[in-house]
Amino acid sequence: MISLSTSRTAIRAAGGRRFVEPVVAEIISALQSLGGAAHRQVVADLIAEKRAGRRISANSSLRQEVFEAFNRYVETVKPRRAAALLYLPLGPESYRWALAEPVHQASPVREAAH
């Protein structure tokens, strides 16, 4: 499980480790559990379930937190031309999210050592 107190979380992907904010790490973990791609609402619901330890739907606050974290990540990666860990497979107007292939095949998310 990912600790939300961690300021950055290590993701093992092709080319080594990358460090992302904890909510992005939760998104990556959820997408791995969902087979690599899913609608953003399904991702938010799975994150809510993992945080609560029981089957629940994400409330509006959590949905906003997850959606904003994904959008921040995508917007930050674009200008740097870095290899993305996450992307919108159906284009910028889509609500379907996916893992980049190297992340989809990588091991699960792990906490960064401080």
Side-chain angles (χ1 to χ4, degrees), residues 26-84:
E26 288 180 289
I27 292 168
I28 290 169
S29 179
L31 285 168
Q32 286 174 324
S33 297
L34 295 165
H39 187 280
R40 69 183 192 166
Q41 182 62 50
V42 174
V43 174
D45 287 343
L46 184 55
I47 290 171
E49 289 177 16
K50 286 183 176 185
R51 287 184 182 183
R54 60 187 172 88
R55 189 169 181 91
I56 61 169
S57 295
N59 62 28
S60 61
S61 175
L62 178 60
R63 280 193 307 270
Q64 182 176 354
E65 177 187 0
V66 170
F67 299 167
E68 287 176 358
F70 181 90
N71 292 334
R72 255 190 326 273
Y73 174 80
V74 170
E75 290 302 313
T76 332
V77 170
K78 258 194 264 185
R80 294 185 315 188
R81 292 185 166 77

Side-chain angles (χ1 to χ4, degrees), residues 88-112:
L88 295 161
L90 302 179
E93 301 302 315
S94 167
Y95 291 144
R96 186 162 185 83
W97 296 349
L99 295 172
E101 193 61 31
V103 179
H104 181 60
Q105 296 173 354
S107 63
V109 175
R110 298 185 335 186
E111 288 183 34

Side-chain angles (χ1 to χ4, degrees), residues 6-11 18-25 28 73 85:
T6 305
S7 62
R8 298 183 44 98
T9 302
I11 305 296
R18 309 257 182 94
F19 293 91
V20 296
E21 63 180 280
V23 178
V24 173
I28 290 169
Y73 174 80
L85 300 172

